[in-house]
Amino acid sequence: MNIQDVIEALKGKGYVVSYFETKEEAADYLDAKVDGQLVGFGDSETLNSLELFERLSSHNEVWDPQHRPEGMTFNQVGKKVLVTDIYFTSVNGMTETGELINIDSTGNRIGASFFGHDKVYFVVGTNKIVPTIEDAVWRTRNIAASQNCARHGYNTPCATTGKCHDCKSPDRICRALVVHYMKMKYTDMEVVLINEELGL
Ligand code: SF4
């Protein structure tokens, strides 16, 4: 995989692309860029590893279902995120040809990635890049979802076997799959690529 080819493919699909060698450099860039804004987060271990919530909260109003104010439910915070000026999330898979792939169980993460914001940032480690959409879909189930289920202690077969069984478990987290073929119309979107293993 040639990272420059991936960057060009993403640009060809309408995204602004920024590239950093480390998550610290990416966090500095985003911290300087987003100031005095209403900001929303989609659940993301990648964003957690950048400590972006902590950094942006000091000079923006940030809503994140993972950092809920006391007394607020997941859905209440998730609804606020849907209409923030700026939205941050990651992806479960990205193709070398520039498609972005996500799965979701509640829908807050993928729902907010379509519409409702002036700008969306997808913050992505290069470990998420695979050759094709089929590879990315495989990755979402057999790596991202399986490891997430194990991490949360969900009662799904993948949590113990490490591979997808297309389960019917009440704990199933693969409930919707989204492929961003191109940047959405009318919304600025930037892919922040980081040359590190980040997230699941
Ligand atoms: S469908 Fe079920 S078994 Fe497959 S990855 Fe999702 S939660 Fe795990």
Side-chain angles (χ1 to χ4, degrees):
M1 189 245 325
N2 179 321
I3 195 66
Q4 205 53 47
D5 290 344
V6 178
I7 290 170
E8 290 308 315
L10 287 164
K11 286 180 178 174
K13 290 180 176 295
Y15 299 103
V16 170
V17 184
S18 48
Y19 177 74
F20 301 93
E21 286 297 328
T22 68
K23 62 180 184 296
E24 289 78 15
E25 290 172 73
D28 286 346
Y29 166 74
L30 292 168
D31 196 18
K33 215 164 173 209
V34 179
D35 180 46
Q37 303 271 0
L38 184 58
V39 177
F41 276 32
D43 315 278
S44 162
E45 285 307 306
T46 300
L47 299 180
N48 287 341
S49 68
L50 268 66
E51 298 182 347
L52 212 52
F53 177 84
E54 291 76 7
R55 294 190 63 161
L56 292 184
S57 290
S58 66
H59 55 104
N60 296 273
E61 180 180 331
V62 184
W63 291 97
D64 178 4
Q66 290 189 355
H67 296 85
R68 296 195 289 279
E70 206 175 318
M72 288 190 76
T73 65
F74 182 94
N75 278 9
Q76 285 171 332
V77 176
K79 281 183 187 176
K80 286 191 169 288
V81 171
L82 287 173
V83 290
T84 51
D85 301 325
I86 311 286
Y87 177 61
F88 284 94
T89 192
S90 188
V91 298
N92 299 122
M94 171 188 287
T95 68
E96 292 176 4
T97 47
E99 287 89 8
L100 312 180
I101 289 87
N102 257 329
I103 53 163
D104 206 350
S105 58
T106 56
N108 65 298
R109 172 173 156 122
I110 57 173
S113 71
F114 300 130
F115 185 76
H117 319 281
D118 299 330
K119 178 146 187 174
V120 173
Y121 289 94
F122 295 97
V123 183
V124 184
T126 49
N127 56 309
K128 304 280 180 71
I129 301 172
V130 293
T132 68
I133 291 177
E134 289 71 26
D135 296 323
V137 172
W138 185 92
R139 189 187 190 287
T140 64
R141 306 285 281 272
N142 293 281
I143 296 178
S146 298
Q147 291 184 17
N148 255 323
C149 285
R151 190 166 56 96
H152 291 295
Y154 291 155
N155 184 20
T156 61
C158 62
T160 48
T161 68
K163 63 178 184 180
C164 180
H165 298 261
D166 198 18
C167 71
K168 301 279 189 297
S169 164
D171 280 351
R172 173 174 169 143
I173 62 175
C174 314
R175 291 174 183 248
L177 173 78
V178 164
V179 178
H180 289 262
Y181 290 110
M182 292 187 75
K183 182 191 86 66
M184 304 302 290
K185 271 186 176 178
Y186 308 139
T187 303
D188 289 340
M189 294 187 156
E190 178 167 343
V191 177
V192 179
L193 260 181
I194 305 169
N195 192 22
E196 288 193 42
E197 285 218 2
L198 297 169
L200 297 175

